[in-house]
Amino acid sequence: MTTGSAQQSATMATSSAANTQRMGSIVLKSLSILLGLFFIFIGLMKLTPHISKDLHRDLRKNYVKYAKVFPFSTLFDFKLPSKWYRRSVGGLEVLCGLAMVIIPNHKIKNAANMTLLMLMFLAVYSHYMVSDPFERCGPALVFTFMLIGRLVIWYQASRREALNAAEKATNNGVKQD
């Protein structure tokens, strides 16, 4: 193998790693923005009837059932008002959705992602406890997996960046053959 060929293959490997890293970044940003916008929309529907009066009315009726099966109400022996439960979940969804869309800090995005993930687990639990049909539980499951997927993509991208930084530090920026 000639030195020109070795340098060419090393350049191609570096270029391939950069493209993979860039693609992971694009996917992560796109997924963050789309999930954020979705949760802003869903949260606003829980907070206000301006988007859809019928859907808001259905959500109000459903949250009466969900408040009865809230997991911490029996543990701490208190009754959760359905109005405040719906408003709290809607407000958290809007707040976390805004963080996913607007704030560039990955720690804040991941905290918002984890908060939304906990809300989705709570939604799946509530749907299961009130014996909702799968059609009502399906979207919560889909977005649970999408939030988990976003965290996995972030972890892989950050790990790749750390390995590249460690490799660069090991080589002291000097190209080795």
Side-chain angles (χ1 to χ4, degrees):
M1 189 173 202
T2 65
T3 56
S5 175
Q7 288 176 347
Q8 187 179 20
S9 65
T11 304
M12 287 176 60
T14 305
S15 174
S16 175
N19 286 340
T20 304
Q21 187 174 1
R22 196 173 320 118
M23 184 59 82
S25 177
I26 291 170
V27 170
L28 187 61
K29 286 178 184 176
S30 301
L31 197 54
S32 296
I33 290 170
L34 291 174
L35 282 169
L37 290 174
F38 170 78
F39 281 106
I40 290 169
F41 178 71
I42 295 299
L44 286 175
M45 283 197 318
K46 290 175 183 166
L47 294 174
T48 180
H50 294 300
I51 295 173
S52 172
K53 291 181 184 196
D54 294 333
L55 191 55
H56 183 73
R57 188 178 327 111
D58 288 342
L59 284 169
R60 285 180 22 201
K61 288 178 186 175
N62 289 331
Y63 266 87
V64 171
K65 296 186 291 186
Y66 301 151
K68 291 177 183 174
V69 296
F70 184 71
F72 299 116
S73 61
T74 55
L75 182 66
F76 296 120
D77 195 32
F78 75 96
K79 184 179 183 289
L80 180 66
S82 62
K83 178 181 183 178
W84 289 106
Y85 183 35
R86 177 180 45 83
R87 287 180 177 176
S88 299
V89 170
L92 277 172
E93 287 176 347
V94 170
L95 182 69
C96 292
L98 285 171
M100 297 273 284
V101 171
I102 296 172
I103 299 175
N105 186 335
H106 71 86
K107 290 181 182 179
I108 294 174
K109 283 186 186 280
N110 288 344
N113 196 114
M114 290 301 295
T115 303
L116 290 170
L117 192 57
M118 293 301 123
L119 287 176
M120 288 297 96
F121 287 145
L122 183 62
V124 170
Y125 171 81
S126 297
H127 286 297
Y128 176 75
M129 292 304 289
V130 298
S131 301
D132 274 343
F134 182 74
E135 292 83 29
R136 293 195 57 85
C137 184
L141 288 170
V142 168
F143 283 97
T144 298
F145 291 126
M146 287 179 74
L147 288 166
I148 291 170
R150 188 206 164 276
L151 284 176
V152 168
I153 292 168
W154 170 81
Y155 176 75
Q156 289 175 341
S158 65
R159 179 126 188 221
R160 188 177 308 117
E161 286 175 12
L163 288 173
N164 288 342
E167 182 179 303
K168 190 177 261 188
T170 304
N171 294 340
N172 291 328
V174 177
K175 215 179 221 185
Q176 296 183 2
D177 291 329

